Amino acid sequence: MYRSHTCGDLRVAHNNQEVILSGWVQGIRDKGFMIYVDLRDRYGITQLYFDEESTPKDIITKAQKLGREFVVQVKGKVVERASKNPNIPTGDIEVLVTELTVLNNAQVPPFTIEDKTDGGEDIRMKYRYLDIRRNPVKNNLIFRHKVAMEVRKFLSDGGFIEVETPYLIKSTPEGARDFVVPSRMNEGQFYALPQSPQTFKQLLMVGGMDKYFQIVKCFRDEDLRADRQPEFTQIDCEMAFVEQEDILNVFENLTKHLLKEINGVEIENFPRMTYDDAMRKYGNDKPDIRFGMEFGELNEVAQHKEFGVFNDAELVVGIAVPGAASYTRKELDALVNWVKRPQVGAKGMVYAKCNEDGSFKSTVDKFYDQDDIANWAKITGSKPGDLICVLSGDANKTRAQLSALRMELAERLNLRNPKEFAPLWVIDFPLLELDEETGHYHAMHHPFTSPKPGQLELLDTDPGAVKANAYDLVLNGNEIGGGSIRIHDKEMQATMFKHLGFTPEEAKAQFGFLMDAFQYGAPPHGGLAFGLDRLVSILGGQETIRDFIAFPKNNSGRDVMIDAPAFIDDDQLKELSLKLNIQE
Ligand code: ASP
């Protein structure tokens, strides 16, 4: 037997008991007549001691040779401590060692295995298995497990069946590039790794599995943005014989269940906001509604004077920044420069201070009088002490710029409290999105999403205006998940492909299997997928998903621990009928 207890188990109630523990040496303190060793495992730390008087000499000698991270097994007796350590659960006891077995030696680790380590990100990624021994990483993995178990429990109790779908498939259109896998047995042919199980879960609906879910890996070969992983995990779901309302209800309840079970937070408000409203009020389809600062559109009260910048703008829009009337000139200049950075892209910013005495002082006092600014204050909801920030220009661009400013200021003003949770649904997304570069429309969600009833006709005349039965779940300014009611009719699916620029032949080659299936009694169906990594990191009150993934990739998509991706042998290439064409 390697252990009778874990290193987190023992309490005063175990006093005098003989125990066996196994674990890693966290630290050694050799006081000459007494040696203390902190023994660590997943469950905690227990203090061991070796005492010159009662511990046999050979064991003392062995103990003196222990190093950090050695793996050892000890037998000993639990003793109540004279001076207790209130900082750890096992702090009331220690174990007087009578037998010591070194199970394995260890080299000195490249960074300290402590909550506050001296190791930088890169070195910890390279030795991720050592990083996992540290509480912050270990606890995040345990936390992730808890969330995944709650998801499984909730969905399984709700009648959902977890079904595995294949990883070696054909392209699925989620808008990214596919990772491909060469087939040795089929010369020159490739599998694609799924960007999501989208088509398979729809086929499961045709197969009658009317409530499906899967906690599943998805793969997208995208240009890496900060905190994106080329492989990530989805909670993927699909239901048959449902309308949008049914799906929203189930997953609203799942979200509430998780927030209650994991965070102890009861959610009363679960608003629904149309995409158009989200864009108008927050300039963003994933608004953070933990704080106000809603947009106020000022065209009517700002385009009647001689101020050309506003008069020429498609949209003049402002927000109230709470308490910011006290900003110094220097701070305000810095803010103006912030919105002019290329990443934000505003040409400039007009602002007005709402003084405590009810008067206003703006950068455009030459054009606007106190009554004008009072109107801006009213529309943006500004109170005395606030600052009104106003941007103008092309409507979409200006909204995006003001949204960036809103988020930045909220961050600076500490309005984004990670312990507070404000979920909402954003609904009625546009069906199509115009690709500015190519001038073509493509599916905003994916090509299987159904338009809202009665809107099909608009496809020919005003494609950008067609709304879809598509929805996103947003939590604290992050898109946690999204889905849609699907097309389940072959003809309508063919029409959709046509509008997306597929020839009938292309549509048949890529998605013939799905359209064929629709001929054999496809039920009305819909679903969604939540991103598990992001969900877990938000519930865990942290920003980076990497911290909740056991073996993540770095920002360049590399696994620096196993050193992947890597070149393969010529023999392997030959076997796969591949030829590399790299110029040396
Ligand atoms: N397959 C979709 C996605 O990965 C989710 C869905 O529509 O159910 O975003």
Side-chain angles (χ1 to χ4, degrees):
M1 178 168 70
Y2 274 112
R3 51 185 173 180
S4 62
H5 295 81
T6 72
C7 295
D9 279 341
L10 300 174
R11 302 287 185 273
V12 173
H14 298 95
N15 200 15
N16 277 324
Q17 279 186 25
E18 281 284 331
V19 295
I20 307 174
L21 301 179
S22 291
W24 287 263
V25 173
Q26 167 89 25
I28 312 147
R29 293 180 303 284
D30 190 345
K31 306 252 172 192
F33 56 96
M34 198 86 119
I35 300 170
Y36 292 100
V37 170
D38 284 336
L39 191 69
R40 170 186 14 90
D41 66 8
R42 196 185 112 190
Y43 308 90
I45 289 183
T46 299
Q47 177 166 291
L48 314 175
Y49 77 101
F50 305 77
D51 161 357
E52 222 174 35
E53 279 179 17
S54 41
T55 312
K57 183 102 191 70
D58 59 319
I59 295 186
I60 297 258
T61 316
K62 242 201 257 177
Q64 279 166 333
K65 289 196 192 130
L66 290 176
R68 267 162 56 202
E69 302 307 314
F70 275 39
V71 188
V72 300
Q73 182 196 37
V74 295
K75 205 173 197 175
K77 198 175 77 177
V78 181
V79 178
E80 183 170 359
R81 285 204 219 178
S83 63
K84 305 197 162 47
N85 176 358
N87 299 324
I88 54 171
T90 61
D92 287 352
I93 56 93
E94 54 197 346
V95 172
L96 174 61
V97 177
T98 51
E99 278 178 37
L100 167 67
T101 311
V102 175
L103 300 172
N104 212 339
N105 297 335
Q107 287 190 33
V108 176
F111 51 87
T112 52
I113 313 289
E114 314 222 330
D115 291 8
K116 289 225 173 327
T117 176
D118 58 358
E121 173 98 4
D122 291 351
I123 192 96
R124 286 190 289 115
M125 283 299 161
K126 179 150 194 245
Y127 298 92
R128 185 66 165 175
Y129 45 89
L130 295 180
D131 210 18
I132 292 172
R133 288 187 196 161
R134 296 172 53 241
N135 284 320
V137 184
K138 175 195 77 184
N139 289 340
N140 281 355
L141 295 183
I142 295 172
F143 184 80
R144 182 187 178 108
H145 162 78
K146 246 172 78 182
V147 175
M149 289 305 282
E150 281 304 330
V151 169
R152 287 208 160 90
K153 199 167 97 201
F154 179 91
L155 290 175
S156 179
D157 287 351
F160 285 78
I161 305 289
E162 183 159 23
V163 182
E164 289 167 81
T165 51
Y167 283 159
L168 294 176
I169 65 165
K170 220 159 121 170
S171 186
T172 42
E174 298 283 2
R177 264 189 215 98
D178 290 320
F179 280 104
V180 294
V181 181
S183 162
R184 181 180 55 82
M185 312 253 271
N186 303 273
E187 200 171 302
Q189 296 188 346
F190 293 80
Y191 299 102
L193 298 179
Q195 292 183 37
S196 85
Q198 184 61 37
T199 46
F200 286 96
K201 67 176 173 176
Q202 292 192 239
L203 293 172
L204 284 170
M205 295 305 110
V206 181
M209 299 293 294
D210 66 348
K211 288 175 171 183
Y212 142 92
F213 86 102
Q214 185 181 191
I215 296 187
V216 61
K217 271 291 173 73
C218 301
F219 307 86
R220 296 184 191 178
D221 187 4
E222 285 175 302
D223 292 335
L224 291 155
R225 272 182 267 157
D227 214 27
R228 281 259 182 131
Q229 291 281 316
E231 55 176 306
F232 59 96
T233 307
Q234 283 192 342
I235 306 165
D236 189 46
C237 305
E238 195 77 5
M239 302 167 81
F241 304 114
V242 284
E243 290 168 348
Q244 172 166 311
E245 192 57 31
D246 302 305
I247 295 178
L248 299 193
N249 280 331
V250 171
F251 293 95
E252 186 165 316
N253 286 336
L254 170 63
T255 310
K256 284 182 177 169
H257 175 83
L258 292 176
L259 283 166
K260 180 146 178 276
E261 294 302 318
I262 304 289
N263 298 84
V265 173
E266 299 262 5
I267 296 292
E268 316 241 304
N269 253 350
F270 212 119
R272 292 177 189 181
M273 194 182 294
T274 64
Y275 171 87
D276 287 346
D277 277 348
M279 296 310 284
R280 251 199 310 269
K281 287 190 191 163
Y282 300 97
N284 197 317
D285 61 5
K286 41 181 192 313
D288 190 339
I289 56 166
R290 281 174 296 181
F291 55 96
M293 294 167 76
E294 278 184 29
F295 290 13
E297 298 195 355
L298 304 174
N299 289 35
E300 276 187 22
V301 293
Q303 290 185 320
H304 61 301
K305 293 286 172 71
E306 299 297 305
F307 187 44
V309 176
F310 281 0
N311 293 350
D312 297 341
E314 186 185 356
L315 179 70
V316 182
V317 60
I319 47 170
V321 187
S326 59
Y327 279 16
T328 60
R329 181 60 202 264
K330 210 169 140 205
E331 286 174 306
L332 290 163
D333 286 348
L335 207 55
V336 174
N337 284 335
W338 191 89
V339 297
K340 282 160 85 176
R341 297 178 331 149
Q343 298 95 314
V344 182
K347 291 220 177 66
M349 184 175 86
V350 165
Y351 58 82
K353 288 183 171 187
C354 307
N355 298 321
E356 295 292 349
D357 65 4
S359 67
F360 303 100
K361 178 90 195 89
S362 84
T363 50
V364 283
D365 280 348
K366 213 160 68 182
F367 302 101
Y368 298 96
D369 59 29
Q370 293 284 305
D371 286 345
D372 290 324
I373 312 279
N375 279 330
W376 301 6
K378 201 163 121 206
I379 293 172
T380 55
S382 303
K383 293 188 231 21
D386 292 355
L387 179 76
I388 311 172
C389 293
V390 185
L391 299 182
S392 61
D394 166 83
N396 291 341
K397 285 192 184 133
T398 306
R399 287 193 175 111
Q401 291 157 1
L402 193 61
S403 170
L405 178 65
R406 177 179 178 269
M407 294 303 273
E408 171 69 16
L409 286 168
E411 198 71 56
R412 293 189 196 176
L413 295 167
N414 280 328
L415 299 175
R416 306 192 67 198
N417 173 5
K419 297 252 151 55
E420 194 188 332
F421 297 97
L424 75 149
W425 290 107
V426 176
I427 57 172
D428 299 353
F429 271 81
L431 182 72
L432 304 171
E433 196 174 30
L434 185 64
D435 183 330
E436 305 264 345
E437 265 171 38
T438 61
H440 291 309
Y441 280 97
H442 58 82
M444 191 153 180
H445 188 50
H446 51 54
F448 315 113
T449 296
S450 70
K452 285 211 164 287
Q455 301 228 325
L456 203 54
E457 299 69 42
L458 273 178
L459 268 180
D460 288 317
T461 51
D462 190 2
V466 179
K467 292 285 192 279
N469 277 319
Y471 33 80
D472 274 359
L473 186 97
V474 176
L475 181 58
N476 296 359
N478 295 278
E479 182 200 325
I480 290 295
S484 60
I485 296 295
R486 327 297 185 191
I487 296 167
H488 64 279
D489 172 79
K490 185 181 178 205
E491 295 314 319
M492 195 196 276
Q493 188 65 71
T495 307
M496 188 57 63
F497 282 133
K498 195 180 96 207
H499 280 281
L500 294 170
F502 288 82
T503 64
E505 294 72 34
E506 285 166 345
K508 190 167 180 342
Q510 263 199 65
F511 303 111
F513 63 94
L514 187 68
M515 298 210 275
D516 283 350
F518 284 175
Q519 293 174 300
Y520 294 95
H525 61 285
L528 52 54
F530 281 6
L532 181 68
D533 311 282
R534 170 81 47 220
L535 177 64
V536 169
S537 78
I538 294 174
L539 296 181
Q542 291 176 28
E543 291 281 312
T544 37
I545 63 173
R546 246 206 311 265
D547 296 343
F548 289 86
I549 297 173
F551 298 106
K553 309 261 186 292
N554 73 6
N555 275 347
S556 332
R558 292 200 73 80
D559 184 324
V560 293
M561 181 183 64
I562 60 172
D563 196 20
F567 292 106
I568 55 174
D569 299 346
D570 286 345
D571 286 350
Q572 217 176 344
L573 281 174
K574 208 184 275 159
E575 217 170 47
L576 294 167
S577 322
L578 293 177
K579 213 169 167 181
L580 272 195
N581 195 4
I582 300 179
Q583 310 288 318
E584 290 284 316

